[in-house]
Amino acid sequence: GLRIHEYLYFQVLSPGDIRYIFTATPAKDFGGVFNTRYDQIHLVPADPPEACGELNNGVFIQDQIALVERGGCSFLSKTRVVQEHGGRAVIIADNAYDNDSFYIEMIQDNTRRTADIPALFLLGRDGYMIRRSLEQHGLPWAVISIPVNVTSIPTYEMMQPPWTFW
């Protein structure tokens, strides 16, 4: 599996205006690893965004990946909420929408609870741009591929978000 300071990549396939490869970091000491590659899976923004309790759109998160916003409760609590709603993984975006370079280390919350699904941290700017695009298009989710092996993609073909420096 991945260790902290390693990156995991996913690509948004739809909507087309954010068809980029995004970088995320796995939780340091909780959550599962991606044993399966999902070529087309829904990335569903949680409602409410912080996912600290019951989700209004939990039915749409079942067997999909949830996009959650940082804040309100621990990273582990968010991951457990998504897991309890049947999500395959959770991507937690920073709530600092201007953050385009600083990755937060997601750690246990000292409650001795566990989570089995993968938990990833996403830069705030990336999470904001994904949610904004979905709102503009009136879409309930994005379609993504995760994880993406970027070593097999020629540099000139890697579509990276124009707002993020790699």
Side-chain angles (χ1 to χ4, degrees):
L2 293 168
R3 291 183 177 79
I4 194 64
H5 300 307
E6 292 189 24
Y7 298 108
L8 187 138
Y9 302 93
F10 67 94
Q11 182 172 19
V12 172
L13 304 174
S14 171
D17 62 331
I18 54 167
R19 192 178 169 104
Y20 300 116
I21 294 176
F22 293 89
T23 305
T25 56
K28 181 178 181 182
D29 58 4
F30 69 89
V33 296
F34 279 94
N35 295 318
T36 304
R37 174 171 153 66
Y38 300 101
D39 288 320
Q40 291 189 13
I41 192 166
H42 294 163
L43 178 62
V44 183
D47 176 23
E50 291 180 343
C52 291
E54 188 66 27
L55 299 178
N56 298 324
N57 64 340
V59 67
F60 297 113
I61 288 171
Q62 173 90 30
D63 292 324
Q64 306 302 322
I65 297 176
L67 177 63
V68 171
E69 195 169 291
R70 180 182 178 203
C73 60
S74 71
F75 293 119
L76 177 57
S77 292
K78 295 171 184 301
T79 303
R80 289 179 54 86
V81 166
V82 170
Q83 179 175 306
E84 288 163 9
H85 282 84
R88 301 250 175 129
V90 61
I91 297 175
I92 302 171
D94 197 353
N95 55 1
Y97 300 149
D98 59 346
N99 177 11
D100 62 4
S101 60
F102 183 70
Y103 289 91
I104 304 292
E105 197 170 79
M106 297 193 311
I107 59 171
Q108 270 277 4
D109 62 6
N110 298 320
T111 59
R112 297 191 178 167
R113 298 176 300 165
T114 60
D116 300 319
I117 64 171
L120 304 172
F121 182 81
L122 182 65
L123 295 174
R125 174 69 52 86
D126 292 345
Y128 169 78
M129 297 300 277
I130 292 169
R131 282 191 302 274
R132 188 180 85 168
S133 175
L134 293 176
E135 287 169 12
Q136 287 174 340
H137 293 286
L139 297 172
W141 52 69
V143 178
I144 67 170
S145 287
I146 188 168
V148 172
N149 180 359
V150 297
T151 60
S152 64
I153 302 172
T155 306
Y156 64 88
E157 286 184 13
M158 280 209 11
M159 292 294 293
Q160 304 158 359
W163 56 85
T164 302
F165 294 106
W166 282 43

